[in-house]
């Protein structure tokens, strides 16, 4: 008897497979955008078109400077998986969609936990109109990321 996996696990597995195309020497992530049970777009970590990838250069500026994970992304030559998935999708396909993100730590050889978008990617996800984000670490309502200091949280629309 075949045991059927949940849709969330199915999409997280696809996001992990997308991450295998990543070119980062530190961490590779994959992201997929799903709406109405249809994959709208995929993305993985990689340098902008026409620029050499870190894996091709054999070096990482953030590694060379001993920058901790989650800091100083402006030094990184890669575009994040979430960004690439958003760039490749039409706006109307992202409104009220779900983004699935999964990834692995190249150095440690294991799935990244916690797996949460960086602040820069959160802003793009909000503007794209994506409703929720699912990672191996949990489920996130994007509207919970929309707030201003000193004000109550408000909805996306």
């Amino acid at each position: 008897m075949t045991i059927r996996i949940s849709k969330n696990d199915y999409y997280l597995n696809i996001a992990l497979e997308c991450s295998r195309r990543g070119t980062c020497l530190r961490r590779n992530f994959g992201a997929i955008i799903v709406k109405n049970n249809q994959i709208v777009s995929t993305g993985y970590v990689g340098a902008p078109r026409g620029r050499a990838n870190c894996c091709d250069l054999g070096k990482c500026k953030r590694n060379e400077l001993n920058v901790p994970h989650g800091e100083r992304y402006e030094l990184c030559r890669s575009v994040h998986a979430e960004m690439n998935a958003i760039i490749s999708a039409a706006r109307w396909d992202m409104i009220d969609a779900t983004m699935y993100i999964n990834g692995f730590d190249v150095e440690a050889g294991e799935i990244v936990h916690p797996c949460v978008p960086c602040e820069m990617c959160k802003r793009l996800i909000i503007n794209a109109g994506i409703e929720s984000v699912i990672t191996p670490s949990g489920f996130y309502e994007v509207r919970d990321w929309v707030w201003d200091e000193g004000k109550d949280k408000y909805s996306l629309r």
Side-chain angles (χ1 to χ4, degrees):
M1 176 180 212
T2 302
I3 298 174
R4 192 171 185 203
I5 65 172
S6 71
K7 281 189 181 180
N8 284 347
D9 286 340
Y10 171 71
Y11 291 130
L12 284 171
N13 287 342
I14 293 171
L16 185 60
E17 194 62 28
C18 289
S19 75
R20 293 167 47 95
R21 286 282 305 149
T23 61
C24 181
L25 298 174
R26 294 168 60 129
R27 288 181 163 180
N28 281 302
F29 290 91
I32 65 170
I33 299 171
V34 177
K35 185 172 182 178
N36 298 325
N37 293 315
Q38 181 175 356
I39 297 173
V40 171
S41 180
T42 66
Y44 55 86
V45 174
R49 285 181 174 86
R51 292 188 71 191
N53 291 298
C54 293
C55 66
D56 299 326
L57 296 172
K59 63 180 182 174
C60 167
K61 185 164 188 133
R62 291 175 69 231
N63 266 354
E64 290 173 353
L65 298 172
N66 294 315
V67 176
H69 291 293
E71 296 179 16
R72 304 289 316 272
Y73 286 124
E74 74 276 7
L75 298 174
C76 181
R77 68 185 301 112
S78 289
V79 177
H80 290 187
E82 301 94 323
M83 295 174 184
N84 277 321
I86 289 169
I87 290 166
S88 298
R91 166 94 167 126
W92 56 84
D93 286 333
M94 293 186 287
I95 294 172
D96 298 328
T98 300
M99 179 179 277
Y100 292 82
I101 305 167
N102 206 344
F104 66 95
D105 187 308
V106 176
E107 297 160 338
E110 59 192 26
I111 302 293
V112 174
H113 285 290
C115 182
V116 179
C118 72
E119 293 302 316
M120 191 169 45
C121 286
K122 284 180 181 179
R123 291 192 297 266
L124 290 169
I125 292 166
I126 291 165
N127 270 7
I130 293 169
E131 181 177 56
S132 58
V133 173
I134 297 175
T135 75
S137 304
F139 175 88
Y140 305 93
E141 289 284 351
V142 174
R143 69 176 167 257
D144 291 340
W145 297 341
V146 181
W147 59 276
D148 284 318
E149 293 81 5
K151 294 183 181 179
D152 290 331
K153 292 183 180 180
Y154 54 91
S155 70
L156 290 174
R157 292 183 191 88

